[in-house]
């Protein structure tokens, strides 16, 4: 079993990456109707994915290399699992892959992009309540 200090460090790294994705999605959203919605949704999905992985690390639950939100949620014990409708889970997973490629057939409105960011913020809030407090603090330099 990994040392608790190591777990805190790894969780902290997942959080840092998740926060960068959320910051990027939220900032890009400020462009309004001109915003690249595929980019916003990609980063919103990445935020959700990385927060779920941070939670799994903190629970000592191994996970595969995947962008599938449903698969990651399925590994989290039910009483700790953030609530996401199956349709939202599927759409988030689509955001992880389709926006990377041209002609992927994923047409995303600005309204949908706003919802994706709202979902990412909600998952962030739910997961952060469950993470070790030490992992939420910045390390002393």
């Amino acid at each position: 079993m990994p040392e608790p200090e190591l777990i805190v460090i790894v969780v902290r790294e997942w959080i840092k990456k998740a926060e960068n994705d959320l910051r990027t999605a939220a900032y890009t959203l400020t462009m309004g109707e001109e915003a690249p919605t595929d980019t916003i949704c990609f980063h919103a999905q990445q935020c959700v994915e990385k927060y779920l992985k941070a939670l799994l690390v903190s629970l000592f639950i191994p996970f595969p290399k995947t962008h599938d939100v449903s698969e990651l949620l399925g590994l989290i014990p039910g009483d700790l699992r953030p609530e996401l409708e199956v349709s939202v889970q599927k759409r988030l997973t689509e955001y992880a892959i389709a926006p990377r490629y041209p002609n992927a057939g994923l047409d995303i409105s600005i309204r949908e992009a706003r919802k994706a960011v709202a979902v990412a913020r909600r998952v962030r809030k739910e997961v952060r309540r469950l993470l070790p407090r030490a992992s939420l603090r910045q390390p002393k330099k």
Side-chain angles (χ1 to χ4, degrees), residues 14 17-18 21 45-55:
W14 280 110
K17 292 294 190 180
D21 281 309
Q45 185 282 338
Q46 288 290 288
C47 175
V48 170
E49 176 185 324
K50 290 169 186 168
Y51 263 111
L52 295 178
K53 289 178 177 179
L55 180 57

Side-chain angles (χ1 to χ4, degrees), residues 12 15 18-19 30 43 47 56-57 61 63 65-67 70-71 80-81 84 87 95 98 100 119 122 135 138 140:
R12 196 177 282 148
I15 291 170
E19 289 295 312
T30 66
H43 285 289
C47 175
L56 288 164
V57 168
I61 298 173
F63 53 88
K65 288 185 178 183
T66 184
H67 299 295
S70 300
E71 185 175 354
L80 300 177
R81 191 177 302 145
L84 286 174
S87 62
Y95 297 153
R100 296 178 178 185
V119 167
R122 184 172 54 78
S135 67
Q138 291 300 314
K140 297 184 188 220

